[in-house]
């Protein structure tokens, strides 16, 4: 049994009472429902990912376990109730998705929703369920650890079932955002001052934000962010907003995203609503050329031994996530190895044919939606191979620890079935579950 954050169906709005089973509902766990579409989505996703086993009963059991986690988590006083805060953020997430479409209708049609209200409800439910499921799983498995001997035993027992590792690389980078000249900055500031004056003269902030703002997360919503918690926005945004009176508009301020004017809409306790108009600090051709020339000199200094890549990254890189780690790019699993097949196209192109220990040419890329000049070093190249305890211990340890956690979860599920209302649709009565859900359930 593996822990799974359920992919909630986009039509999962139904409310049921204990004992009810209606068309489309395959199970009820406590007061949490499982739709047939939930199971089909999981099964289809697994097929798309090339899974060898796609037994419908297995997906049903994974989802049942997750629903039990969610049901128990909502009753657990050790888990903070963040439902209201998560729901308050649904509007922001909705607007972020909307910014990727030409119109709201196009977005709703693409996701097969009838209304914005329906889509926001589903976003809320997905995020609330994910939060509670993950929080309860973390509590249950918090004290689970694993010894080196257990990792070795796991490897010896399952080494022929472990996945093949594809070609990997270890990369370092130096990132430089082209700096705007003072004259260019002043042009942006003057434009924002003109927009502010137009608003003071009677035009609406909302309309100006929709026309001019470069923030994809709020422009379509008139620049509005609601229920903003302290620490959620960058410091300059929060400090500026909270120093305003309700309805007041700030002068232009600069953040890492560009230049803003901000309006405080409402402040209530620790939360506040604010609108802003963002103009990104997009470098022009001259500013990009200056940054490229500076990076070319850094590359030359490294090749001539005047500095090391590590020291150059610490001194010059604008990427806070890598500059203090010799520029090394972390992988999603926390290691420094990245599969070549998953590299962004720009990076894959630049490192093609580059040998271990060599530098790439200086090239243009994007980081945090900002144009950047980049230099990379190929620290290591690891050919495709089977996992080996001598060279892949940490990766094998992760597999072993997950297996142990899932065994703890399986035990917890069995212990918590007795006092939980379970109802399964008759079509799943013949499933051979690892945990005896059928015995614990009312089957209809």
């Amino acid at each position: 049994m593996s822990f799974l954050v359920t992919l909630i169906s986009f039509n999962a709005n139904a409310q049921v009472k204990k004992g009810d089973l209606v068309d489309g509902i395959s199970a009820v766990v406590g007061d949490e429902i499982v739709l047939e579409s939930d199971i089909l989505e999981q099964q289809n996703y697994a097929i798309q990912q090339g899974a060898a086993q796609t037994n419908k009963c297995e997906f049903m059991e994974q989802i049942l376990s997750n629903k039990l986690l969610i049901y128990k988590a909502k009753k657990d006083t050790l888990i903070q109730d963040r439902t209201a805060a998560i729901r308050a953020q649904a509007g922001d997430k909705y607007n972020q998705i909307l910014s990727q479409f030409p119109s709201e209708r196009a977005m709703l049609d693409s996701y097969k929703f009838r209304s914005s209200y329906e889509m926001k409800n589903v976003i809320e439910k997905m995020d609330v369920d994910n939060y509670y499921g993950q929080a309860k799983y973390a509590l249950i498995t918090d004290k689970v650890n694993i010894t080196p001997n257990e990792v070795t035993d796991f490897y010896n027992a399952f080494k022929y079932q472990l996945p093949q590792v594809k070609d990997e690389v270890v990369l370092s980078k130096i990132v430089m955002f082209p700096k705007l000249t003072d004259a260019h900055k002043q042009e942006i500031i003057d434009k924002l001052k003109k927009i502010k004056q137009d608003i003071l003269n009677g035009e609406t902030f909302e309309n100006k934000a929709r026309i001019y703002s470069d923030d994809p997360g709020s422009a379509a919503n008139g620049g509005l962010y609601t229920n903003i918690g302290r620490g959620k926005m960058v410091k300059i945004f929060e400090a500026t907003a909270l120093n305003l009176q309700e309805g007041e508009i700030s002068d232009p301020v600069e953040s890492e995203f560009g230049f803003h004017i901000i309006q405080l809409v409402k402040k209530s306790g620790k939360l506040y609503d604010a609108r802003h108009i963002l103009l990104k600090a997009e470098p022009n051709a001259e500013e990009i050329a200056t940054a490229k020339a500076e990076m070319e000199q850094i590359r030359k200094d490294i090749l001539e031994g005047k500095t090391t890549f590590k020291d150059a990254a610490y001194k010059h890189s604008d990427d806070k996530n890598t500059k203090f780690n010799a520029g090394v790019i972390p992988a999603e699993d926390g290691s420094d190895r990245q599969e070549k097949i998953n590299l962004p196209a720009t990076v894959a192109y630049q490192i093609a044919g580059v040998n271990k220990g060599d530098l790439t040419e200086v090239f243009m890329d994007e980081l945090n939606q900002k144009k950047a000049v980049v230099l990379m070093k190929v620290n290591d190249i690891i050919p495709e191979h089977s996992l080996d305890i001598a060279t892949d211990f940490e990766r094998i340890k992760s597999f072993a620890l997950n297996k142990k956690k899932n065994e703890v979860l399986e035990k917890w599920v069995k212990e918590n079935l007795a006092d939980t209302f379970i109802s399964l649709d008759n079509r799943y009565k013949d499933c051979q579950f690892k945990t005896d859900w059928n015995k614990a359930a009312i089957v209809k």
Side-chain angles (χ1 to χ4, degrees):
M1 181 187 301
S2 61
F3 173 71
L4 183 67
V5 177
T6 307
L7 300 174
I8 305 295
S9 166
F10 275 142
N11 294 313
N13 301 339
Q15 298 293 320
V16 296
K17 298 178 182 178
K18 287 185 178 181
D20 289 349
L21 272 176
V22 297
D23 288 345
I25 295 178
S26 294
V28 180
V29 180
D31 52 15
E32 300 291 326
I33 66 170
V34 178
L35 295 180
E36 184 67 12
S37 55
D38 294 341
I39 303 160
L40 293 174
E41 283 179 4
Q42 298 284 17
Q43 189 178 33
N44 290 336
Y45 179 77
I47 292 171
Q48 291 169 9
Q49 298 301 308
Q53 297 294 329
T54 55
N55 186 300
K56 197 174 180 180
C57 293
E58 291 183 10
F59 296 108
M60 171 58 124
E61 183 161 24
Q62 291 172 340
I63 294 172
L64 288 171
S65 297
N66 198 40
K67 289 297 185 181
L68 183 60
L69 283 170
I70 294 165
Y71 174 66
K72 292 292 186 178
K74 290 178 179 178
K75 298 177 177 297
D76 193 331
T77 57
L78 294 177
I79 296 175
Q80 181 185 3
D81 184 355
R82 295 193 63 248
T83 302
I86 293 169
R87 285 175 176 163
Q89 294 168 5
D92 292 344
K93 187 169 288 189
Y94 178 88
N95 290 329
Q96 289 173 356
I97 299 171
L98 177 59
S99 68
Q100 302 170 23
F101 289 84
S103 69
E104 187 171 49
R105 187 69 259 164
M107 177 188 69
L108 294 174
D109 289 345
S110 176
Y111 284 104
K112 297 180 173 60
F113 286 108
R114 291 166 293 182
S115 66
S116 60
Y117 176 79
E118 184 181 46
M119 182 169 176
K120 287 177 183 177
N121 276 348
V122 173
I123 292 172
E124 289 175 12
K125 179 167 178 55
M126 289 175 67
D127 288 351
V128 168
D129 283 358
N130 286 343
Y131 165 72
Y132 279 108
Q134 290 174 9
K136 189 64 178 178
Y137 177 76
L139 273 180
I140 295 167
T141 62
D142 180 54
K143 295 181 180 179
V144 179
N145 52 38
I146 196 161
T147 66
N149 285 340
E150 287 178 308
V151 176
T152 301
D153 290 344
F154 170 84
Y155 175 72
N156 290 333
F158 296 99
K159 61 182 175 182
Y160 297 114
Q161 299 174 39
L162 293 174
Q164 187 83 355
V165 179
K166 298 177 181 177
D167 291 339
E168 295 178 313
V169 289
V170 179
L171 302 174
S172 295
K173 66 179 178 179
I174 301 171
V175 176
M176 189 179 295
F177 297 126
K179 295 176 177 61
L180 272 61
T181 63
D182 290 342
H184 190 179
K185 286 185 178 182
Q186 193 59 50
E187 285 180 19
I188 299 172
I189 292 170
D190 289 344
K191 183 175 180 179
L192 280 172
K193 286 182 176 179
K194 174 66 167 57
I195 292 171
K196 176 182 176 179
Q197 190 58 50
D198 289 343
I199 296 169
L200 295 175
N201 290 340
E203 296 192 44
T204 66
F205 197 109
E206 296 94 312
N207 191 46
K208 288 292 187 180
R210 291 189 182 99
I211 296 172
Y212 293 108
S213 184
D214 292 327
D215 177 14
S218 70
N221 199 35
L224 181 64
Y225 283 110
T226 59
N227 295 297
I228 307 169
R230 303 297 174 92
K232 180 181 177 182
M233 310 299 272
V234 292
K235 289 182 179 179
I236 186 65
F237 186 104
E238 181 172 294
T240 302
L242 294 179
N243 279 319
L244 296 171
Q245 298 297 315
E246 290 186 3
E248 186 181 2
I249 303 171
S250 74
D251 289 329
V253 294
E254 184 179 5
S255 78
E256 60 195 76
F257 299 102
F259 293 83
H260 318 244
I261 54 172
I262 301 164
Q263 181 185 50
L264 179 64
V265 177
K266 181 179 70 174
K267 184 161 56 175
S268 177
K270 295 182 179 181
L271 300 175
Y272 64 99
D273 297 351
R275 295 185 187 276
H276 83 134
I277 295 172
L278 168 70
L279 297 185
K280 288 184 178 179
E282 290 284 355
N284 57 34
E286 181 182 348
E287 291 158 345
I288 290 172
T290 299
K292 279 186 173 181
E294 186 175 349
M295 189 69 87
E296 290 286 2
Q297 183 59 52
I298 293 169
R299 184 178 188 275
K300 185 171 181 288
D301 289 345
I302 294 171
L303 291 174
E304 293 177 354
K306 295 178 180 179
T307 187
T308 64
F309 196 97
K310 176 181 178 180
D311 290 343
Y314 179 77
K315 184 176 181 180
H316 300 286
S317 185
D318 292 324
D319 180 12
K320 297 176 183 178
N321 293 324
T322 61
K323 71 176 296 177
F324 302 108
N325 188 37
V328 176
I329 305 171
E332 289 185 3
D333 63 1
S335 71
D336 56 6
R337 295 182 177 187
Q338 302 187 76
E339 290 189 354
K340 279 188 175 183
I341 195 170
N342 293 327
L343 291 173
T346 302
V347 173
Y349 175 79
Q350 293 297 330
I351 69 167
V354 178
N355 297 319
K356 177 180 175 179
D358 288 347
L359 305 180
T360 66
E361 299 296 326
V362 174
F363 64 96
M364 291 298 300
D365 204 354
E366 279 200 2
L367 179 65
N368 299 330
Q369 300 181 352
K370 295 169 66 176
K371 289 181 180 178
V373 177
V374 182
L375 174 66
M376 284 190 171
K377 180 181 179 181
V378 178
N379 299 307
D380 201 1
I381 299 173
I382 304 101
E384 182 176 359
H385 65 284
S386 298
L387 286 171
D388 185 274
I389 195 74
T391 56
D392 302 288
F393 182 84
E394 289 301 321
R395 193 168 288 181
I396 296 167
K397 179 182 176 181
S398 178
F399 282 113
L401 182 59
N402 282 337
K403 181 178 183 295
K404 193 171 181 179
K405 285 183 176 182
N406 287 329
E407 288 168 352
V408 170
L409 174 64
E410 189 172 334
K411 180 181 177 183
W412 177 89
V413 168
K414 290 176 180 177
E415 292 171 349
N416 283 269
L417 285 183
D419 63 350
T420 306
F421 172 81
I422 309 289
S423 184
L424 295 181
D425 188 76
N426 188 57
R427 77 192 90 177
Y428 292 97
K429 69 177 182 178
D430 295 325
C431 282
Q432 300 298 310
F433 296 129
K434 292 180 181 178
T435 299
D436 202 347
W437 292 90
N438 278 316
K439 185 176 180 181
I442 299 170
V443 180
K444 293 187 176 182

